[in-house]
Amino acid sequence: QEQLAESGGGLVQPGGSLRLSCAASGFTSDNYAIAWFRQAPGKEREAVSCISASNVGTYFADSVKGRFTIFRDNAKKTVYLQMNSLRPEDTAVYYCATRKYYCSGFGSTYGSWGQGTQVTVSS
């Protein structure tokens, strides 16, 4: 059974950094893209970042470009989202999700989702 588990969320001051991890288990190959989505209270879910299978490509929402990076460790079956220069508007529950091969900004195309990890940016 394919499962995803996020970790690394927490409370951080504006300008601070966090690294989120998404650990995958039960996947029989590495031919999948992993994306990070987030949802803040009262707002729609939005795609934040994604890395495709074989690290062919990455995607970042305009709101996080230059501040967030994404990378994967296939040996550990883990994808990391490094978040720097955090802002209060980054506060949300962050979810990781997978789909075959390539990234998509449409959450409905992702088959497996984690439970989410809370990120709060506040002084």
Side-chain angles (χ1 to χ4, degrees):
Q1 182 180 1
E2 297 176 349
Q3 291 186 325
L4 300 172
E6 303 96 336
S7 61
L11 173 64
V12 64
Q13 292 186 341
S17 298
L18 282 175
R19 178 178 290 184
L20 304 184
S21 299
C22 175
S25 61
F27 289 78
T28 58
S29 74
D30 293 326
N31 293 329
Y32 52 88
I34 287 191
W36 287 93
F37 290 80
R38 68 186 181 187
Q39 187 164 24
K43 294 188 176 181
E44 293 187 355
R45 182 178 61 194
E46 64 171 333
V48 176
S49 183
C50 182
I51 185 166
S52 64
S54 302
N55 302 333
V56 171
T58 57
Y59 160 84
F60 296 93
D62 287 343
S63 58
V64 306
K65 280 181 182 176
R67 300 188 297 123
F68 290 12
T69 56
I70 187 169
F71 55 99
R72 69 195 295 165
D73 183 336
N74 283 338
K76 295 183 178 179
K77 294 190 182 296
T78 299
V79 168
Y80 303 92
L81 183 69
Q82 178 66 42
M83 306 187 296
N84 299 327
S85 302
L86 283 162
R87 304 167 180 168
E89 53 264 39
D90 294 318
T91 296
V93 178
Y94 285 70
Y95 301 88
C96 63
T98 66
R99 70 190 300 272
K100 283 279 194 179
Y101 305 120
Y102 303 114
C103 293
S104 168
F106 297 98
S108 60
T109 66
Y110 290 77
S112 298
W113 290 79
Q115 294 299 307
T117 185
Q118 176 71 47
V119 171
T120 303
V121 184
S122 175
S123 55

